[in-house]
């Protein structure tokens, strides 16, 4: 019987977790909302514009780009602030009640 692997575990084994900021990139890459919300496109384009243009898959970009490139891009304070802002926006959106919850919360 095979043991299932948690996504968090995959992130820890597939990415250079000792690089500060890579957790934020992973959180954004695994957010399915990026398939219709294109706020993060510039992040992936900055990591590897050619691969991003071919795949439009943030997880593939993050797994493929070199450790040196990740470190170089995360060292840019403007880029890092943008990533941190996107992560905070994502977390607020995830924690906020959905439309149905807001509409029907008074019914319960």
């Amino acid at each position: 019987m095979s043991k299932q692997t948690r996504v968090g575990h995959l992130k820890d084994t597939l990415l250079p977790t000792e690089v500060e900021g890579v957790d934020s990139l992973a959180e954004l890459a695994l957010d399915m909302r990026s398939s219709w919300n294109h706020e993060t496109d510039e992040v992936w384009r900055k990591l590897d514009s050619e691969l991003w243009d071919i795949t439009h898959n943030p997880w593939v970009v993050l797994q493929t780009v070199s450790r040196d490139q990740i470190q170089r891009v995360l060292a840019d304070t403007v880029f890092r602030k943008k990533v941190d802002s996107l992560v905070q926006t994502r977390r607020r959106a995830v924690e906020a009640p959905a439309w149905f919850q807001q509409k029907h919360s008074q019914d319960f």
Side-chain angles (χ1 to χ4, degrees):
M1 183 175 230
S2 68
K3 184 178 178 182
Q4 286 188 328
T5 305
R6 292 186 349 260
V7 171
H9 180 68
L10 279 174
K11 178 182 63 93
D12 294 340
T13 58
L14 296 175
L15 299 174
T17 56
E18 72 281 355
V19 176
E20 186 177 337
V22 78
D23 284 343
S24 295
L25 291 174
E27 184 174 338
L28 294 174
L30 294 171
D31 184 7
M32 294 304 295
R33 293 176 313 124
S34 66
S35 61
W36 68 87
N37 180 348
H38 298 282
E39 286 184 313
T40 62
D41 288 3
E42 194 54 41
V43 169
W44 314 118
R45 190 170 283 114
K46 181 138 182 156
L47 282 169
D48 188 329
S49 61
E50 187 176 335
L51 184 58
W52 175 250
D53 289 341
I54 293 168
T55 67
H56 287 269
N57 185 327
W59 187 244
V60 169
V61 171
L62 190 56
Q63 288 183 67
T64 306
V65 71
S66 73
R67 175 186 312 249
D68 290 340
Q69 176 64 2
I70 292 172
Q71 288 175 318
R72 192 171 24 261
V73 171
L74 286 172
D76 177 352
T77 56
V78 173
F79 178 82
R80 186 62 188 270
K81 285 180 183 178
K82 176 68 174 173
V83 168
D84 292 343
S85 174
L86 289 166
V87 167
Q88 291 306 315
T89 300
R90 180 205 166 282
R91 289 177 182 170
R92 280 192 300 275
V94 168
E95 293 170 1
W99 173 85
F100 186 82
Q101 293 166 322
Q102 292 173 2
K103 182 82 173 151
H104 298 286
S105 65
Q106 65 246 18
D107 295 343
F108 296 105

